[in-house]
Amino acid sequence: MAQIVVVEDDLYMREELIDLLNKSGYDTFPILEFEDVVSQIQAIAPDLILLDINLPYKSGFDICRELKAKGIGGVLVLTARDKLQDEIHALGLGADDYLTKPCNMERLLARIKSLLRRTEQQQIQHDLLKGNGFLLDPHTFTIYVGKTSYVLPPNEGKILLTLLMNYPRTVSKEELFHALWGTDKFIDENALQVNFTRLRKTMRNYGLDDRIETVRGEGYRLKVQVDI
């Protein structure tokens, strides 16, 4: 469930926003004290911040600048200030969107959904590991090749992740035993070969032939360059 912080000093507007967001399935956190807004938001680490501009102690512009400098959440400015220069200024500070009050609630929810989707996609892109012609999500073992994707079985995913994390170094069989089974004792080497065969077949099905190289007497590694 996405977490949204509401930075709004008008009580009635704040309660309306909280009610709307809660009914829409979001986890909502209102800021009630405005002396140190950024620290409060940082402690919550939300997915999105709804930020007013006219606030006590510090303006929403300054708060937006600090949030973006710290890389905290997406920022949707929601304010009664409808001048173009204010919108341009907020966007220049890094705000992800700008809406003026009063605002149609369906429009607001649509903008929130769009921003959360964008943030999620950016996070996925940030986490992906780059291979030769493919990307790998280290958390789900999803391999991305062009516009296609496939979730690798756990053992195949662990092998590919281990090779990527150690690229271009050769990874020994013992290291792979640990990655797969947590030990290198009493492991049948055939079990490792079976998983390698399956991984190579999967990669071949996605046009990733010969990405994994066997280094005799040493182990395995991803090829530095593949002729296509």
Side-chain angles (χ1 to χ4, degrees), residues 31-192:
I31 297 296
L32 304 177
E33 301 292 335
F34 296 90
E35 291 190 44
D36 196 358
V37 172
V38 174
S39 294
Q40 294 178 64
I41 296 175
Q42 189 171 16
I44 298 168
D47 301 290
L48 182 66
I49 301 105
L50 298 188
L51 178 63
D52 192 13
I53 294 297
N54 297 323
L55 296 168
Y57 301 104
K58 185 177 291 187
S59 79
F61 291 130
D62 292 331
I63 293 171
C64 179
R65 182 188 294 110
E66 291 183 41
L67 289 172
K68 286 300 178 178
K70 295 177 181 292
I72 302 172
V75 175
L76 193 165
V77 172
L78 185 60
T79 176
R81 297 173 64 152
D82 59 359
K83 292 183 178 180
L84 178 60
Q85 56 263 40
D86 288 328
E87 179 176 354
I88 292 173
H89 184 45
L91 295 174
L93 293 173
D96 299 278
D97 206 344
Y98 191 101
L99 284 175
T100 55
K101 300 182 288 189
C103 175
N104 179 281
M105 291 298 117
E106 290 184 5
R107 175 179 294 171
L108 174 61
L109 288 174
R111 295 290 185 90
I112 288 172
K113 185 176 181 180
S114 176
L115 285 177
L116 289 173
R117 188 187 305 117
R118 188 194 311 170
T119 301
E120 181 181 6
Q121 291 171 345
Q122 289 172 344
Q123 185 60 44
I124 290 173
Q125 289 294 327
H126 178 74
D127 289 343
L128 293 181
L129 299 176
K130 186 176 182 180
N132 193 334
F134 66 93
L135 300 170
L136 180 70
D137 185 330
H139 308 293
T140 64
F141 299 139
T142 302
I143 186 170
Y144 296 88
V145 184
K147 295 182 179 180
T148 63
S149 64
Y150 174 74
V151 180
L152 294 170
N155 280 357
E156 293 178 39
K158 290 176 183 177
I159 290 173
L160 188 55
L161 176 60
T162 303
L163 295 177
L164 269 174
M165 294 294 288
N166 290 278
Y167 176 83
R169 185 177 69 82
T170 299
V171 180
S172 69
K173 293 177 182 178
E174 289 73 23
E175 289 176 278
L176 289 164
F177 288 150
H178 274 285
L180 291 172
W181 297 291
T183 180
D184 61 357
K185 306 297 182 183
F186 313 113
I187 301 297
D188 185 350
E189 189 172 321
N190 289 330
L192 179 62

